[in-house]
Amino acid sequence: MSLSGGSGTEQGVSVSPAIAKNLLQQFADELLEATETLVPVAPLRTRLEGMDVADAYGIQDAQLRHHLATGRVLAGRKVGLTSPAMQAQLGVDSPDFGFFFEDMVYGDGARIPAAGFIAPKVEPEFGFVLKETLAGPGVSVEQARDAIGEVYAAIEIIDSRISNWDIALVDTVADNASCGAIAVGSTPLNVDVADLASVACALVIDGHPAESGTGAAVMGDPVAPLAWLANVLGEQGVALEAGQLVLPGSFTRALPVVADSTATADFGDLGSLTIHFT
């Protein structure tokens, strides 16, 4: 942590390193409570001067360890902020990653209570199921491509435990990359993993096409975030395990949903995935 400046447009309060360490654990506890109560917390960057991305991932990891200790089962990882549209929407210039558990994964046609989120938005994505373990650092894009077993239509429901989506990079990273839930299709897309960058997808809200993009919007090649994630986690001694699900990032901007909304990730002739909010 560098105590010389903040990570967002607002600077937080300058404190001693010892107090800062306690604040980071307090932030993790607050986010855990907000996940249960659905009462959001104030932006973290405004409360601790010099909070950096390493601090934010430490907060995220403290929550992951808490959930695992309660018996929740890790289903996979998500990479976020990989498209220019999402980076522009949130005012950041770097991808991030988070985690999700088996009890956060829904299927095609799922009816999902909107009241289970604070301010949900949806993003259309690929879902990669790994057939091989990826352990970085040093994983190439081609190695990551070879590790993909099946490709599914997916929708990530993002949600923010930070008030009013008032986030900079450190806020969303600490808040598990704003992950709320995941929906995944029941049948793999009939697509060659070498061709993912050219695949088109439309985000359809209540039957109306709202946003569209191609796989190239996801870091130029949607497999690139998978390699990036394997290498970042590998530096921490963590591997992406065979059988895990990885979402590499959104084709489009995220759009809000409410009760009675329907969201579809439409991959044209390749297939689609639809979820309903109740």
Side-chain angles (χ1 to χ4, degrees):
M1 174 184 296
S2 169
L3 296 180
S4 60
S7 301
T9 55
E10 306 94 337
Q11 290 190 354
V13 178
S14 180
V15 298
S16 71
I19 293 176
K21 182 178 180 180
N22 290 335
L23 271 176
L24 295 176
Q25 182 58 55
Q26 176 186 317
F27 291 163
D29 293 340
E30 287 183 14
L31 289 167
L32 285 167
E33 182 175 359
T35 301
E36 295 297 322
T37 65
L38 301 181
V39 177
V41 303
L44 308 184
R45 69 186 186 281
T46 66
R47 298 157 61 193
L48 176 58
E49 183 179 337
M51 180 178 165
D52 59 24
V53 173
D55 296 326
Y57 277 118
I59 294 169
Q60 182 189 125
D61 187 62
Q63 295 170 79
L64 173 61
R65 288 185 280 106
H66 170 86
H67 289 301
L68 292 174
T70 67
R72 298 181 78 180
V73 179
L74 186 69
R77 305 271 185 168
K78 54 131 327 166
V79 185
L81 306 178
T82 53
S83 70
M86 283 305 302
Q87 290 184 1
Q89 186 174 7
L90 297 184
V92 301
D93 58 4
S94 171
D96 66 355
F97 68 87
F99 54 83
F100 52 90
F101 299 103
E102 289 184 351
D103 58 13
M104 296 169 65
V105 180
Y106 293 89
D108 191 12
R111 301 183 65 82
I112 303 171
F117 306 93
I118 297 170
K121 302 179 182 183
V122 289
E123 302 176 343
E125 306 199 19
F126 286 125
F128 299 149
V129 175
L130 302 183
K131 64 181 179 181
E132 299 173 4
T133 295
L134 280 174
V139 173
S140 69
V141 172
E142 287 311 309
Q143 287 172 320
R145 201 181 314 277
D146 291 342
I148 297 172
E150 296 172 317
V151 180
Y152 289 84
I155 293 174
E156 182 183 0
I157 304 166
I158 60 173
D159 196 22
S160 184
R161 273 65 60 175
I162 307 297
S163 296
N164 300 316
W165 278 100
D166 181 6
I167 58 175
L169 183 61
V170 293
D171 299 294
T172 185
V173 166
D175 186 27
N176 190 27
S178 302
C179 188
I182 305 293
V184 185
S186 56
T187 304
L189 299 176
N190 184 20
V191 61
D192 192 317
V193 292
D195 299 328
L196 295 180
S198 63
V199 172
C201 181
L203 175 58
V204 180
I205 303 294
D206 298 331
H208 303 289
E211 296 277 336
S212 62
T214 68
V218 187
M219 287 178 62
D221 179 345
V223 181
L226 177 60
W228 175 85
L229 178 61
N231 289 326
V232 172
L233 289 176
E235 292 173 356
Q236 305 171 15
V238 177
L240 291 170
E241 303 290 346
Q244 285 187 333
L245 174 67
V246 178
L247 272 62
S250 180
F251 283 68
T252 71
R253 293 185 307 134
L255 294 181
V257 288
V258 295
D260 296 328
S261 292
T262 295
T264 298
D266 185 357
F267 288 86
D269 292 341
L270 296 176
S272 64
L273 162 70
T274 297
I275 54 177
H276 311 275
F277 291 87
T278 62

